[in-house]
Coordinates of all heavy atoms in Angstrom, one line a residue:
N1 N 0.8 -1.2 0.0 CA 0.0 0.0 0.0 C 0.8 1.3 0.0 O 0.3 2.4 -0.1 CB -0.9 0.0 1.2 CG -2.1 -0.9 1.0 OD1 -2.5 -1.1 -0.1 ND2 -2.6 -1.5 2.1
A2 N 2.1 1.2 0.2 CA 3.0 2.4 0.3 C 2.8 3.3 -0.9 O 2.7 4.5 -0.8 CB 4.4 2.0 0.5
P3 N 2.8 2.8 -2.2 CA 2.7 3.7 -3.3 C 1.4 4.5 -3.3 O 1.3 5.6 -3.9 CB 2.7 2.8 -4.5 CG 3.5 1.6 -4.1 CD 3.1 1.4 -2.6
K4 N 0.3 4.0 -2.6 CA -0.9 4.7 -2.6 C -0.9 5.8 -1.6 O -1.8 6.7 -1.6 CB -2.1 3.7 -2.2 CG -2.3 2.7 -3.3 CD -3.4 1.7 -2.8 CE -3.5 0.6 -3.8 NZ -4.5 -0.4 -3.4
T5 N 0.0 5.8 -0.7 CA 0.0 6.8 0.4 C 0.2 8.2 -0.1 O -0.4 9.1 0.4 CB 1.1 6.4 1.4 OG1 0.9 5.1 1.9 CG2 1.2 7.4 2.6
A6 N 1.1 8.4 -1.1 CA 1.4 9.7 -1.6 C 0.1 10.3 -2.2 O -0.1 11.5 -1.9 CB 2.5 9.6 -2.7
A7 N -0.7 9.6 -2.9 CA -1.9 10.1 -3.5 C -2.9 10.5 -2.4 O -3.5 11.6 -2.5 CB -2.6 9.1 -4.4
A8 N -3.0 9.7 -1.3 CA -3.9 10.1 -0.2 C -3.4 11.3 0.5 O -4.2 12.2 0.9 CB -3.9 8.9 0.8
L9 N -2.1 11.5 0.7 CA -1.6 12.7 1.3 C -1.9 13.9 0.5 O -2.3 15.0 1.0 CB -0.1 12.5 1.6 CG 0.3 11.5 2.6 CD1 1.9 11.3 2.6 CD2 -0.1 12.0 4.0
A10 N -1.6 13.8 -0.8 CA -1.9 14.9 -1.7 C -3.4 15.3 -1.7 O -3.7 16.5 -1.6 CB -1.4 14.6 -3.2
K11 N -4.2 14.3 -1.8 CA -5.7 14.6 -1.8 C -6.1 15.3 -0.5 O -7.0 16.1 -0.5 CB -6.4 13.3 -1.9 CG -7.9 13.4 -2.0 CD -8.6 12.1 -2.3 CE -10.1 12.3 -2.4 NZ -10.9 11.1 -2.5
A12 N -5.4 14.9 0.6 CA -5.8 15.5 2.0 C -5.1 16.9 2.2 O -5.3 17.5 3.2 CB -5.4 14.5 3.1
G13 N -4.2 17.3 1.2 CA -3.5 18.5 1.4 C -2.4 18.5 2.4 O -1.9 19.5 2.9
V14 N -1.9 17.3 2.6 CA -0.8 17.1 3.6 C 0.6 17.2 2.8 O 0.8 16.5 1.9 CB -0.8 15.8 4.3 CG1 0.4 15.6 5.2 CG2 -2.1 15.6 5.1
P15 N 1.4 18.2 3.2 CA 2.7 18.3 2.6 C 3.6 17.0 2.7 O 3.6 16.4 3.8 CB 3.4 19.4 3.3 CG 2.3 20.2 4.0 CD 1.3 19.1 4.3
F16 N 4.2 16.5 1.7 CA 5.1 15.3 1.7 C 6.1 15.5 0.7 O 6.0 16.3 -0.3 CB 4.2 14.1 1.5 CG 3.7 13.9 0.1 CD1 4.5 13.1 -0.8 CD2 2.6 14.5 -0.3 CE1 4.0 13.0 -2.1 CE2 2.1 14.4 -1.6 CZ 2.8 13.6 -2.5
A17 N 7.2 14.7 0.8 CA 8.3 14.6 -0.2 C 8.7 13.1 -0.2 O 8.5 12.4 0.7 CB 9.4 15.5 0.2
F18 N 9.4 12.8 -1.3 CA 10.0 11.5 -1.4 C 11.5 11.6 -0.9 O 12.1 12.6 -1.0 CB 10.1 11.1 -2.9 CG 8.7 10.9 -3.5 CD1 8.2 11.8 -4.5 CD2 7.9 9.9 -3.1 CE1 7.0 11.6 -5.0 CE2 6.6 9.7 -3.6 CZ 6.2 10.6 -4.6
A19 N 11.9 10.5 -0.3 CA 13.3 10.4 0.3 C 14.0 9.2 -0.4 O 13.4 8.3 -0.8 CB 13.2 10.2 1.8
S20 N 15.3 9.4 -0.4 CA 16.1 8.3 -1.0 C 17.1 7.7 -0.1 O 17.9 6.9 -0.5 CB 16.9 8.9 -2.2 OG 17.8 9.9 -1.8
G21 N 17.1 8.1 1.2 CA 18.1 7.7 2.1 C 18.4 6.2 2.3 O 19.5 5.8 2.6
T22 N 17.4 5.4 2.1 CA 17.7 3.9 2.4 C 17.8 3.1 1.1 O 17.9 1.9 1.2 CB 16.5 3.4 3.2 OG1 15.3 3.5 2.5 CG2 16.4 4.1 4.6
L23 N 17.8 3.8 0.0 CA 17.9 3.0 -1.3 C 19.3 2.5 -1.5 O 20.3 3.1 -1.3 CB 17.6 3.9 -2.5 CG 16.1 4.4 -2.5 CD1 16.0 5.4 -3.7 CD2 15.2 3.2 -2.7
E24 N 19.4 1.2 -2.0 CA 20.6 0.6 -2.4 C 21.1 1.1 -3.7 O 22.3 1.3 -4.0 CB 20.5 -0.9 -2.5 CG 20.3 -1.6 -1.2 CD 21.5 -1.7 -0.4 OE1 22.6 -1.9 -1.0 OE2 21.5 -1.5 0.9
D25 N 20.1 1.3 -4.6 CA 20.5 1.8 -6.0 C 19.8 3.1 -6.2 O 18.5 3.2 -6.2 CB 20.0 0.7 -7.0 CG 20.4 1.0 -8.4 OD1 20.8 2.2 -8.7 OD2 20.4 0.1 -9.3
P26 N 20.5 4.2 -6.5 CA 19.9 5.5 -6.7 C 18.9 5.5 -7.8 O 18.0 6.4 -7.8 CB 21.1 6.4 -7.0 CG 22.3 5.7 -6.5 CD 22.0 4.2 -6.5
R27 N 19.1 4.6 -8.8 CA 18.1 4.6 -9.9 C 16.7 4.2 -9.5 O 15.7 4.5 -10.2 CB 18.6 3.7 -11.0 CG 19.9 4.2 -11.7 CD 20.5 3.2 -12.6 NE 21.1 2.1 -11.8 CZ 22.1 1.3 -12.2 NH1 22.5 1.4 -13.4 NH2 22.6 0.4 -11.4
D28 N 16.6 3.6 -8.3 CA 15.2 3.3 -7.8 C 14.4 4.5 -7.4 O 13.2 4.3 -7.2 CB 15.4 2.2 -6.7 CG 15.8 0.9 -7.2 OD1 15.7 0.6 -8.4 OD2 16.3 0.1 -6.3
F29 N 15.1 5.6 -7.2 CA 14.4 6.8 -6.6 C 13.2 7.2 -7.5 O 12.1 7.3 -7.1 CB 15.4 7.9 -6.4 CG 14.8 9.1 -5.7 CD1 14.3 9.0 -4.5 CD2 14.9 10.3 -6.3 CE1 13.7 10.1 -3.8 CE2 14.4 11.5 -5.7 CZ 13.8 11.3 -4.5
I30 N 13.5 7.4 -8.8 CA 12.4 7.8 -9.7 C 11.5 6.7 -10.0 O 10.2 6.9 -10.1 CB 13.0 8.3 -11.0 CG1 13.8 9.6 -10.8 CG2 11.9 8.6 -12.1 CD1 13.0 10.8 -10.2
K31 N 12.0 5.4 -10.0 CA 11.1 4.3 -10.2 C 10.1 4.2 -9.1 O 8.9 3.9 -9.3 CB 11.9 3.0 -10.2 CG 12.7 2.8 -11.5 CD 13.5 1.5 -11.4 CE 14.5 1.4 -12.6 NZ 15.3 0.2 -12.5
N32 N 10.5 4.5 -7.8 CA 9.6 4.4 -6.7 C 8.5 5.5 -6.8 O 7.4 5.4 -6.5 CB 10.3 4.5 -5.4 CG 11.1 3.2 -5.1 OD1 10.8 2.1 -5.7 ND2 12.0 3.2 -4.2
A33 N 9.0 6.7 -7.2 CA 8.0 7.8 -7.4 C 7.0 7.5 -8.5 O 5.8 7.8 -8.4 CB 8.8 9.1 -7.7
A34 N 7.5 6.8 -9.5 CA 6.6 6.4 -10.6 C 5.5 5.4 -10.1 O 4.4 5.4 -10.6 CB 7.4 5.7 -11.7
K35 N 5.9 4.6 -9.2 CA 4.9 3.7 -8.6 C 3.8 4.4 -7.9 O 2.6 4.0 -7.9 CB 5.6 2.7 -7.6 CG 6.5 1.7 -8.2 CD 7.1 0.8 -7.1 CE 8.1 -0.1 -7.8 NZ 8.9 -0.9 -6.7
A36 N 4.1 5.6 -7.3 CA 3.1 6.4 -6.6 C 2.2 7.0 -7.7 O 1.0 7.1 -7.5 CB 3.8 7.5 -5.8
V37 N 2.8 7.4 -8.8 CA 2.0 8.0 -9.9 C 1.1 6.9 -10.5 O -0.1 7.2 -10.7 CB 2.9 8.6 -11.0 CG1 2.1 9.0 -12.3 CG2 3.7 9.8 -10.5
Q38 N 1.6 5.7 -10.7 CA 0.8 4.6 -11.2 C -0.4 4.3 -10.2 O -1.4 3.7 -10.5 CB 1.6 3.4 -11.4 CG 2.6 3.6 -12.6 CD 3.7 2.5 -12.6 OE1 3.8 1.7 -11.7 NE2 4.6 2.7 -13.6
S39 N -0.2 4.6 -8.9 CA -1.2 4.3 -7.9 C -2.1 5.5 -7.6 O -2.8 5.5 -6.5 CB -0.4 3.8 -6.6 OG 0.2 2.6 -6.8
G40 N -2.1 6.5 -8.4 CA -3.1 7.6 -8.3 C -2.5 9.0 -8.0 O -3.3 9.9 -8.1
L41 N -1.3 9.1 -7.7 CA -0.7 10.5 -7.5 C -0.5 11.1 -8.9 O -0.1 10.5 -9.8 CB 0.7 10.4 -6.8 CG 1.4 11.7 -6.5 CD1 0.6 12.5 -5.5 CD2 2.8 11.4 -6.0
S42 N -0.9 12.4 -9.0 CA -0.8 13.1 -10.3 C 0.7 13.3 -10.5 O 1.5 13.4 -9.6 CB -1.5 14.4 -10.2 OG -0.8 15.4 -9.5
G43 N 1.1 13.4 -11.8 CA 2.5 13.7 -12.2 C 2.9 15.0 -11.6 O 4.1 15.1 -11.1
D44 N 2.1 16.0 -11.6 CA 2.4 17.3 -11.1 C 2.7 17.3 -9.6 O 3.7 17.8 -9.1 CB 1.3 18.4 -11.4 CG 1.3 18.8 -12.8 OD1 2.2 18.5 -13.6 OD2 0.2 19.4 -13.2
D45 N 1.9 16.5 -8.9 CA 2.1 16.4 -7.4 C 3.4 15.6 -7.2 O 4.1 15.9 -6.2 CB 1.0 15.7 -6.7 CG -0.2 16.6 -6.6 OD1 -0.1 17.9 -6.6 OD2 -1.4 16.1 -6.4
A46 N 3.7 14.6 -8.0 CA 5.0 13.9 -7.8 C 6.2 14.7 -8.1 O 7.1 14.7 -7.3 CB 5.0 12.7 -8.8
V47 N 6.1 15.5 -9.1 CA 7.3 16.4 -9.4 C 7.4 17.4 -8.3 O 8.5 17.7 -7.8 CB 7.1 17.2 -10.8 CG1 8.1 18.3 -10.9 CG2 7.2 16.2 -11.9
R48 N 6.3 18.0 -7.8 CA 6.4 18.9 -6.6 C 7.0 18.2 -5.4 O 7.8 18.8 -4.7 CB 5.0 19.4 -6.3 CG 5.0 20.8 -5.7 CD 3.6 21.4 -5.6 NE 2.4 20.8 -6.2 CZ 2.0 20.9 -7.5 NH1 2.7 21.6 -8.3 NH2 1.0 20.3 -7.9
A49 N 6.7 16.9 -5.2 CA 7.2 16.2 -4.0 C 8.7 16.0 -4.2 O 9.4 15.8 -3.2 CB 6.5 14.9 -3.8
L50 N 9.2 15.9 -5.4 CA 10.6 15.7 -5.7 C 11.4 17.0 -5.7 O 12.6 17.0 -5.6 CB 10.8 15.1 -7.1 CG 10.3 13.6 -7.3 CD1 10.2 13.3 -8.7 CD2 11.2 12.7 -6.5
T51 N 10.7 18.1 -5.8 CA 11.4 19.4 -6.0 C 11.0 20.4 -4.9 O 11.6 20.4 -3.8 CB 11.1 20.0 -7.4 OG1 9.6 20.1 -7.5 CG2 11.6 19.1 -8.5
L52 N 10.1 21.3 -5.1 CA 9.8 22.4 -4.2 C 9.3 21.9 -2.9 O 9.7 22.5 -1.8 CB 8.8 23.3 -4.9 CG 8.5 24.6 -4.1 CD1 9.8 25.4 -3.8 CD2 7.6 25.5 -4.8
Q53 N 8.4 20.9 -2.8 CA 7.9 20.4 -1.5 C 9.0 19.8 -0.7 O 9.1 20.0 0.5 CB 6.8 19.5 -1.7 CG 6.0 19.2 -0.5 CD 5.3 20.5 0.0 OE1 4.7 21.3 -0.7 NE2 5.3 20.7 1.3
A54 N 9.9 19.1 -1.4 CA 11.0 18.5 -0.6 C 12.0 19.6 -0.1 O 12.4 19.5 1.1 CB 11.8 17.5 -1.6
A55 N 12.2 20.6 -0.9 CA 13.1 21.7 -0.5 C 12.4 22.5 0.7 O 13.1 22.9 1.6 CB 13.3 22.6 -1.6
T56 N 11.1 22.7 0.6 CA 10.4 23.4 1.7 C 10.5 22.6 3.0 O 10.8 23.2 4.0 CB 8.9 23.6 1.3 OG1 8.9 24.4 0.1 CG2 8.1 24.3 2.3
I57 N 10.2 21.3 2.9 CA 10.2 20.5 4.1 C 11.6 20.5 4.7 O 11.8 20.5 6.0 CB 9.8 19.0 3.8 CG1 8.3 19.1 3.6 CG2 10.1 18.1 5.0 CD1 7.7 17.8 3.0
A58 N 12.7 20.5 3.9 CA 14.1 20.5 4.3 C 14.5 21.9 4.8 O 15.7 22.0 5.3 CB 15.0 19.9 3.2
G59 N 13.7 22.9 4.6 CA 14.1 24.2 5.0 C 15.1 24.9 4.0 O 15.8 25.8 4.4
A60 N 15.1 24.4 2.8 CA 16.0 24.9 1.8 C 15.4 25.5 0.5 O 16.0 25.7 -0.5 CB 16.9 23.7 1.3
A61 N 14.1 25.8 0.6 CA 13.3 26.3 -0.5 C 13.8 27.7 -1.0 O 13.5 28.1 -2.1 CB 11.8 26.4 -0.2
D62 N 14.6 28.4 -0.1 CA 15.2 29.7 -0.6 C 16.4 29.5 -1.5 O 16.8 30.4 -2.2 CB 15.6 30.5 0.6 CG 16.6 29.8 1.5 OD1 16.6 28.6 1.6 OD2 17.5 30.5 2.0
R63 N 16.9 28.2 -1.6 CA 18.1 27.9 -2.4 C 17.8 26.9 -3.5 O 18.5 27.0 -4.5 CB 19.2 27.4 -1.5 CG 19.7 28.4 -0.5 CD 20.8 27.8 0.4 NE 20.5 26.6 1.0 CZ 19.8 26.4 2.1 NH1 19.3 27.4 2.7 NH2 19.7 25.2 2.6
V64 N 16.9 26.0 -3.3 CA 16.7 24.9 -4.3 C 15.2 24.6 -4.4 O 14.4 25.1 -3.6 CB 17.4 23.6 -3.9 CG1 18.9 23.8 -4.0 CG2 17.0 23.1 -2.6
G65 N 14.8 23.8 -5.3 CA 13.4 23.3 -5.4 C 12.6 23.8 -6.5 O 11.6 23.3 -6.9
S66 N 13.0 25.0 -7.1 CA 12.3 25.6 -8.2 C 13.3 26.4 -9.0 O 14.4 26.7 -8.5 CB 11.2 26.5 -7.7 OG 11.6 27.5 -6.9
L67 N 13.0 26.6 -10.2 CA 13.9 27.4 -11.1 C 13.6 28.9 -11.0 O 12.5 29.3 -11.5 CB 13.8 27.0 -12.6 CG 14.3 25.6 -12.8 CD1 14.1 25.2 -14.3 CD2 15.8 25.4 -12.5
E68 N 14.4 29.6 -10.2 CA 14.2 31.0 -10.0 C 15.5 31.7 -9.9 O 16.5 31.1 -9.5 CB 13.4 31.3 -8.7 CG 12.0 30.7 -8.6 CD 11.4 30.9 -7.3 OE1 11.3 32.0 -6.9 OE2 11.0 29.9 -6.7
V69 N 15.5 33.0 -10.2 CA 16.8 33.8 -10.1 C 17.3 33.7 -8.7 O 16.5 33.9 -7.7 CB 16.5 35.3 -10.6 CG1 17.7 36.1 -10.3 CG2 16.1 35.3 -12.0
G70 N 18.6 33.4 -8.6 CA 19.2 33.4 -7.2 C 19.2 32.0 -6.6 O 19.9 31.8 -5.6
K71 N 18.5 31.0 -7.2 CA 18.6 29.7 -6.7 C 19.6 28.8 -7.5 O 19.9 29.2 -8.6 CB 17.2 29.0 -6.8 CG 16.2 29.6 -5.8 CD 14.9 28.8 -5.8 CE 13.9 29.2 -4.7 NZ 12.7 28.4 -4.7
L72 N 20.0 27.7 -6.9 CA 20.9 26.8 -7.6 C 20.1 26.2 -8.8 O 18.9 25.8 -8.6 CB 21.4 25.7 -6.7 CG 22.2 26.1 -5.5 CD1 22.5 24.9 -4.6 CD2 23.4 26.8 -5.9
A73 N 20.7 26.1 -9.9 CA 20.0 25.5 -11.1 C 20.3 24.0 -11.2 O 21.3 23.6 -11.8 CB 20.5 26.2 -12.3
N74 N 19.5 23.2 -10.5 CA 19.6 21.8 -10.6 C 18.5 21.3 -11.5 O 17.3 21.5 -11.1 CB 19.5 21.1 -9.2 CG 20.6 21.5 -8.3 OD1 21.7 21.9 -8.7 ND2 20.4 21.6 -7.0
V75 N 18.8 20.7 -12.6 CA 17.8 20.4 -13.6 C 18.1 19.0 -14.2 O 19.2 18.6 -14.4 CB 17.9 21.4 -14.8 CG1 16.8 21.1 -15.9 CG2 17.6 22.8 -14.2
L76 N 17.0 18.3 -14.4 CA 17.0 17.0 -15.1 C 16.2 17.1 -16.4 O 15.1 17.6 -16.4 CB 16.4 16.0 -14.1 CG 16.3 14.5 -14.5 CD1 17.6 13.9 -14.4 CD2 15.3 13.8 -13.7
V77 N 16.8 16.7 -17.5 CA 16.2 16.7 -18.8 C 16.0 15.3 -19.3 O 17.0 14.5 -19.3 CB 17.0 17.5 -19.8 CG1 16.3 17.5 -21.2 CG2 17.3 18.9 -19.3
T78 N 14.8 14.9 -19.6 CA 14.5 13.6 -20.1 C 13.9 13.6 -21.5 O 13.6 14.7 -22.0 CB 13.4 12.9 -19.2 OG1 12.2 13.6 -19.3 CG2 13.9 12.9 -17.7
D79 N 13.8 12.4 -22.1 CA 13.2 12.4 -23.5 C 11.8 12.0 -23.5 O 11.2 11.7 -24.5 CB 14.0 11.3 -24.3 CG 13.8 9.9 -23.8 OD1 13.2 9.7 -22.8 OD2 14.4 9.0 -24.4
G80 N 11.1 12.2 -22.3 CA 9.7 11.9 -22.2 C 9.2 12.2 -20.8 O 9.9 12.8 -20.0
D81 N 8.0 11.6 -20.5 CA 7.4 11.8 -19.1 C 8.4 11.2 -18.1 O 8.8 10.0 -18.3 CB 6.1 11.0 -19.1 CG 5.4 11.1 -17.8 OD1 6.0 11.2 -16.7 OD2 4.2 11.0 -17.8
L82 N 8.7 11.9 -17.1 CA 9.7 11.5 -16.1 C 9.3 10.1 -15.5 O 10.2 9.3 -15.2 CB 9.8 12.5 -15.0 CG 10.7 12.2 -13.8 CD1 12.2 12.1 -14.3 CD2 10.7 13.4 -12.8
F83 N 8.1 9.9 -15.4 CA 7.6 8.7 -14.7 C 7.3 7.5 -15.6 O 6.8 6.4 -15.1 CB 6.4 9.0 -13.8 CG 6.8 10.1 -12.8 CD1 6.2 11.4 -13.0 CD2 7.7 9.9 -11.8 CE1 6.5 12.4 -12.1 CE2 8.1 11.0 -11.0 CZ 7.5 12.2 -11.1
A84 N 7.5 7.7 -16.9 CA 7.2 6.6 -17.8 C 8.4 5.6 -17.8 O 9.6 6.0 -17.7 CB 7.0 7.1 -19.2
E85 N 8.1 4.3 -17.9 CA 9.1 3.3 -17.8 C 10.3 3.4 -18.8 O 11.4 3.2 -18.5 CB 8.5 1.9 -18.0 CG 9.4 0.8 -17.7 CD 8.7 -0.6 -17.7 OE1 7.5 -0.6 -17.5 OE2 9.4 -1.6 -18.0
K86 N 10.0 3.8 -20.0 CA 11.0 3.8 -21.1 C 11.7 5.2 -21.2 O 12.6 5.3 -22.0 CB 10.3 3.5 -22.4 CG 9.6 2.2 -22.5 CD 10.4 1.2 -23.2 CE 9.6 -0.1 -23.3 NZ 10.4 -1.3 -23.3
T87 N 11.3 6.2 -20.4 CA 12.0 7.5 -20.4 C 13.4 7.4 -20.0 O 13.7 6.7 -19.0 CB 11.2 8.5 -19.5 OG1 9.9 8.6 -20.1 CG2 11.9 9.8 -19.5
T88 N 14.3 8.1 -20.7 CA 15.7 8.1 -20.3 C 16.1 9.5 -19.9 O 15.6 10.5 -20.5 CB 16.6 7.5 -21.3 OG1 16.4 8.3 -22.5 CG2 16.3 6.1 -21.6
V89 N 17.1 9.6 -19.0 CA 17.6 10.9 -18.7 C 18.6 11.3 -19.8 O 19.6 10.5 -20.1 CB 18.3 10.9 -17.3 CG1 19.0 12.2 -17.0 CG2 17.2 10.6 -16.2
K90 N 18.5 12.5 -20.3 CA 19.4 13.0 -21.4 C 20.5 13.9 -20.8 O 21.6 13.8 -21.3 CB 18.6 13.7 -22.5 CG 17.7 12.7 -23.2 CD 18.5 11.7 -23.9 CE 17.7 10.9 -25.0 NZ 18.5 9.9 -25.6
H91 N 20.1 14.7 -19.9 CA 21.0 15.7 -19.3 C 20.7 16.0 -17.9 O 19.6 15.9 -17.5 CB 21.0 17.1 -20.1 CG 21.1 17.0 -21.5 ND1 22.4 16.8 -22.1 CD2 20.2 17.0 -22.5 CE1 22.2 16.8 -23.5 NE2 20.9 16.8 -23.7
V92 N 21.8 16.2 -17.1 CA 21.6 16.6 -15.7 C 22.5 17.8 -15.5 O 23.7 17.8 -15.9 CB 22.0 15.4 -14.7 CG1 22.0 15.9 -13.3 CG2 21.1 14.2 -14.9
F93 N 22.0 18.8 -14.8 CA 22.8 20.0 -14.4 C 22.7 20.2 -12.9 O 21.6 20.1 -12.4 CB 22.2 21.2 -15.1 CG 22.3 21.1 -16.6 CD1 21.2 20.6 -17.3 CD2 23.4 21.6 -17.3 CE1 21.3 20.5 -18.7 CE2 23.4 21.5 -18.7 CZ 22.4 20.9 -19.4
V94 N 23.8 20.3 -12.3 CA 23.8 20.6 -10.8 C 24.5 21.9 -10.7 O 25.7 22.1 -11.1 CB 24.6 19.4 -10.1 CG1 24.7 19.8 -8.6 CG2 23.9 18.1 -10.3
E95 N 23.9 22.8 -10.0 CA 24.3 24.2 -9.8 C 24.7 24.8 -11.2 O 25.6 25.5 -11.4 CB 25.5 24.3 -8.9 CG 25.2 23.9 -7.5 CD 26.3 24.0 -6.5 OE1 27.2 24.8 -6.8 OE2 26.3 23.3 -5.5
G96 N 23.9 24.5 -12.2 CA 24.0 25.0 -13.5 C 25.1 24.4 -14.4 O 25.3 24.7 -15.5
R97 N 25.8 23.4 -13.8 CA 26.9 22.7 -14.6 C 26.4 21.3 -15.0 O 25.9 20.6 -14.2 CB 28.1 22.6 -13.7 CG 28.7 23.9 -13.3 CD 30.0 23.8 -12.6 NE 30.3 25.0 -11.9 CZ 30.2 25.3 -10.6 NH1 29.9 24.3 -9.8 NH2 30.5 26.5 -10.1
A98 N 26.8 21.0 -16.2 CA 26.4 19.6 -16.8 C 27.2 18.5 -16.0 O 28.3 18.7 -15.6 CB 26.8 19.6 -18.2
V99 N 26.5 17.5 -15.7 CA 27.0 16.3 -15.1 C 27.3 15.2 -16.2 O 26.5 15.0 -17.1 CB 26.0 15.7 -14.0 CG1 26.5 14.4 -13.5 CG2 25.8 16.7 -12.9
N100 N 28.4 14.6 -16.1 CA 28.8 13.5 -17.0 C 27.9 12.3 -16.8 O 28.1 11.6 -15.8 CB 30.3 13.2 -16.9 CG 30.7 12.1 -17.9 OD1 29.9 11.6 -18.6 ND2 32.0 11.9 -17.9
L101 N 27.1 12.0 -17.7 CA 26.2 10.8 -17.5 C 26.8 9.5 -17.9 O 26.2 8.5 -17.7 CB 24.9 11.0 -18.3 CG 24.0 12.2 -17.9 CD1 22.8 12.3 -18.8 CD2 23.6 12.1 -16.4
D102 N 28.0 9.6 -18.4 CA 28.7 8.3 -18.8 C 29.3 7.6 -17.6 O 29.7 6.5 -17.7 CB 29.9 8.6 -19.7 CG 29.3 9.1 -21.1 OD1 28.2 8.7 -21.5 OD2 30.0 9.9 -21.7
V103 N 29.3 8.2 -16.4 CA 29.8 7.6 -15.2 C 28.6 6.8 -14.6 O 27.5 7.3 -14.5 CB 30.2 8.7 -14.1 CG1 30.6 8.1 -12.8 CG2 31.4 9.5 -14.7
D104 N 28.9 5.6 -14.2 CA 27.9 4.8 -13.5 C 27.8 5.2 -12.0 O 28.6 4.6 -11.2 CB 28.2 3.3 -13.7 CG 27.1 2.4 -13.1 OD1 26.3 2.9 -12.4 OD2 27.2 1.2 -13.4
W105 N 27.0 6.1 -11.7 CA 26.9 6.7 -10.4 C 26.5 5.6 -9.3 O 26.9 5.6 -8.2 CB 26.0 7.9 -10.3 CG 26.5 9.0 -11.1 CD1 26.1 9.4 -12.3 CD2 27.7 9.8 -10.7 NE1 26.9 10.5 -12.8 CE2 27.9 10.7 -11.8 CE3 28.5 9.9 -9.6 CZ2 28.9 11.7 -11.8 CZ3 29.5 10.9 -9.6 CH2 29.7 11.7 -10.7
G106 N 25.7 4.7 -9.7 CA 25.3 3.6 -8.8 C 26.5 2.8 -8.4 O 26.7 2.5 -7.2
N107 N 27.4 2.4 -9.3 CA 28.6 1.7 -9.0 C 29.6 2.6 -8.2 O 30.3 2.1 -7.3 CB 29.3 1.1 -10.2 CG 28.5 -0.1 -10.7 OD1 27.9 -0.8 -10.0 ND2 28.6 -0.3 -12.0
Q108 N 29.6 3.9 -8.5 CA 30.5 4.8 -7.8 C 30.1 4.8 -6.3 O 30.9 4.8 -5.5 CB 30.4 6.2 -8.4 CG 31.0 6.4 -9.7 CD 32.5 6.2 -9.7 OE1 33.1 6.6 -8.8 NE2 33.0 5.6 -10.8
R109 N 28.8 4.9 -6.0 CA 28.3 4.9 -4.7 C 28.7 3.6 -3.9 O 29.1 3.7 -2.8 CB 26.8 5.1 -4.6 CG 26.3 5.3 -3.2 CD 24.8 5.6 -3.3 NE 24.3 5.6 -1.9 CZ 23.1 5.6 -1.6 NH1 22.1 5.6 -2.5 NH2 22.7 5.6 -0.4
R110 N 28.6 2.5 -4.6 CA 28.9 1.2 -3.9 C 30.4 1.1 -3.7 O 30.7 0.4 -2.7 CB 28.3 0.1 -4.8 CG 26.8 -0.1 -4.7 CD 26.4 -1.3 -5.4 NE 26.3 -1.2 -6.8 CZ 25.3 -0.7 -7.5 NH1 24.3 -0.3 -6.9 NH2 25.4 -0.7 -8.8
R111 N 31.2 1.7 -4.5 CA 32.6 1.6 -4.3 C 33.1 2.4 -3.1 O 34.2 2.1 -2.6 CB 33.3 2.0 -5.6 CG 33.2 1.1 -6.7 CD 34.0 1.5 -7.9 NE 33.5 0.9 -9.1 CZ 33.4 1.4 -10.3 NH1 33.6 2.7 -10.5 NH2 32.9 0.7 -11.3
Q112 N 32.4 3.4 -2.8 CA 32.9 4.3 -1.7 C 32.8 3.6 -0.3 O 32.1 2.8 0.0 CB 32.0 5.6 -1.7 CG 32.3 6.4 -2.9 CD 31.4 7.6 -2.9 OE1 30.5 7.8 -2.1 NE2 31.6 8.5 -3.9

């Protein structure tokens, strides 16, 4: 029932965000959010939970969470709907700088 919880929270107007702290594989982060979308959460609410709502809950909305002048420019560019199974990430920018997607970040994390 966990994937259904996000939709229930959104419907009730309860602020929530997705967390990645216990994931073994960072690639599961978006897959898990997609499960919430498949279980009734709107795509807009899911994106908000990944961005501005997460930043607000963390007390960092003045620096991250939305694209605005004066905030860090962290952006993910995909070739389709972020939550669709076949969508791939094309570009990632952290603080406005492109990230090399040729690095297997999942393996990098496990090696540390």
